Amino acid sequence: MRIRTYGTSGPVVVVLHGGPGAPGYMAPVARGLAESFRVLEPWQRGSGGEPLTVARHVADLNKLVESRCGGARPAVVGSSWGAMLALAYAAAHPGRAGPLVLIGCGTFDPVARHRMQAIRDERMDDGLRRHMERLPQEFPDPDERLKAMGHLILPLYSYELVTTDQEIEACDARANLETWEDMVRLQEEGVYPAAFAAIDGPVLMLHGAVDPHPGRLIRASLEPHLPQLEYREWQRCGHYPWLEKAVRDEFFAVLRGWLTRQFAEGGRSADERLD
């Protein structure tokens, strides 16, 4: 995996992008943490010879932690699909994962997914629907089409952004489809969210009330398996709190403060180093 690093001192934090297949957009979060932490921003495996699975992504993340974090248990901060991957990783390797932060976490049951789709449909006007219908003709390449669609529907996921530049360098439509189909399969088979009961570390969920992902429904699906789950919601905030004018400063203050407390309470030294 391509890995970008930030910061020169402090405990290790791994930030995970969403999509799936939309690397690069966690760079602002990584930069916002770099003064206090050593941050790793991996670009998750793209599509290739074999179909992508959740297990493949979990194995890749574990390899990263083992090779780059020494004996430290890094915090894992994931956005959207990245939050789901953080949970899957911590469930598979509870002894390797430190504190988890779930930003705009994805859905774990059909009820939440149907509510999310309904919210998107309610916010979409006829002009946007027509534009969406033209995307296959305007962008024959599926990767370019996925990136264009993300930019087009960004207002549906937002309140008032300071910028619409998400810093996504490229999208991988096949990785998006394969990974998400496997996650849904695992949910339908009852693997997730039940497997998250293996997670014994602290977990914080940060959510925007304007995010179409229904935060309180998602929290309700997780709480039976994660009784330690903490939940924080902002009213004037969508799917990307670090881009929201009303809450970005508070978002970073909450995130940095919570991570600092968790590392301190866990007895972790600020001098833990990357290999």
Side-chain angles (χ1 to χ4, degrees):
M1 293 184 293
R2 175 181 174 183
I3 304 167
R4 296 194 289 203
T5 61
Y6 307 77
T8 58
S9 64
V12 182
V13 177
V14 180
V15 296
L16 300 177
H17 66 77
Y25 80 72
M26 286 296 277
V29 177
R31 292 193 296 267
L33 294 173
E35 288 188 6
S36 304
F37 306 96
R38 300 185 182 211
V39 186
L40 300 174
E41 182 201 2
W43 290 28
Q44 296 154 33
R45 182 185 296 260
S47 57
E50 297 181 1
L52 284 172
T53 64
V54 175
R56 178 71 265 174
H57 288 297
V58 167
D60 286 344
L61 183 53
N62 190 53
K63 184 177 180 180
L64 168 69
V65 171
E66 289 184 338
S67 64
R68 299 294 295 271
C69 300
R73 294 176 60 177
V76 185
V77 178
S79 166
S80 199
W81 146 253
M84 305 173 82
L85 176 57
L87 289 166
Y89 172 71
H93 302 279
R96 298 294 294 150
L100 305 181
V101 181
L102 319 176
I103 307 170
C105 187
T107 58
F108 289 100
D109 59 62
V111 174
R113 277 194 290 281
H114 292 158
R115 180 57 188 148
M116 175 182 167
Q117 187 59 55
I119 293 171
R120 283 181 38 165
D121 290 345
E122 291 166 4
R123 295 177 182 177
M124 192 176 299
D125 60 25
D126 291 340
L128 180 55
R129 287 191 178 89
R130 287 193 294 270
H131 201 161
M132 294 280 284
E133 291 170 357
R134 294 197 301 269
L135 283 179
Q137 289 74 44
E138 295 177 4
F139 299 94
D141 180 88
D143 297 340
E144 294 180 2
R145 184 161 65 248
L146 179 61
K147 186 175 182 179
M149 183 183 71
H151 183 74
L152 194 62
I153 65 175
L154 182 60
L156 306 183
Y157 285 76
S158 310
Y159 183 78
E160 185 180 7
L161 302 181
V162 295
T163 178
T164 58
D165 181 8
Q166 295 179 269
E167 303 188 34
I168 298 174
E169 296 196 13
C171 285
D172 188 331
R174 183 178 152 199
N176 176 280
L177 179 63
E178 291 174 353
T179 301
W180 184 246
E181 284 185 343
D182 192 55
M183 170 54 78
V184 172
R185 176 187 66 81
L186 290 165
Q187 292 179 19
E188 291 174 345
E189 292 177 1
V191 176
Y192 299 131
F196 303 152
I199 300 171
D200 58 4
V203 184
L204 173 65
M205 186 173 174
L206 300 176
H207 217 85
V210 183
D211 189 343
H213 296 77
R216 300 191 181 199
L217 284 179
I218 296 167
R219 176 182 63 175
S221 71
L222 294 175
E223 281 181 326
H225 315 287
L226 291 167
Q228 73 273 38
L229 180 67
E230 302 175 52
Y231 184 81
R232 177 69 177 269
E233 184 177 275
W234 289 283
Q235 290 303 307
R236 295 185 295 166
C237 180
H239 195 51
Y240 306 98
W242 61 92
L243 298 180
E244 291 284 359
K245 184 180 296 184
V247 306
R248 63 177 306 188
D249 291 342
E250 185 178 354
F251 163 76
F252 279 113
V254 169
L255 179 58
R256 285 191 294 261
W258 189 84
L259 288 172
T260 298
R261 289 193 301 275
Q262 299 310 317
F263 278 115
E265 292 171 4
R268 297 277 160 191
S269 168
D271 294 327
E272 283 179 332
R273 303 173 63 88
L274 299 177
D275 286 351

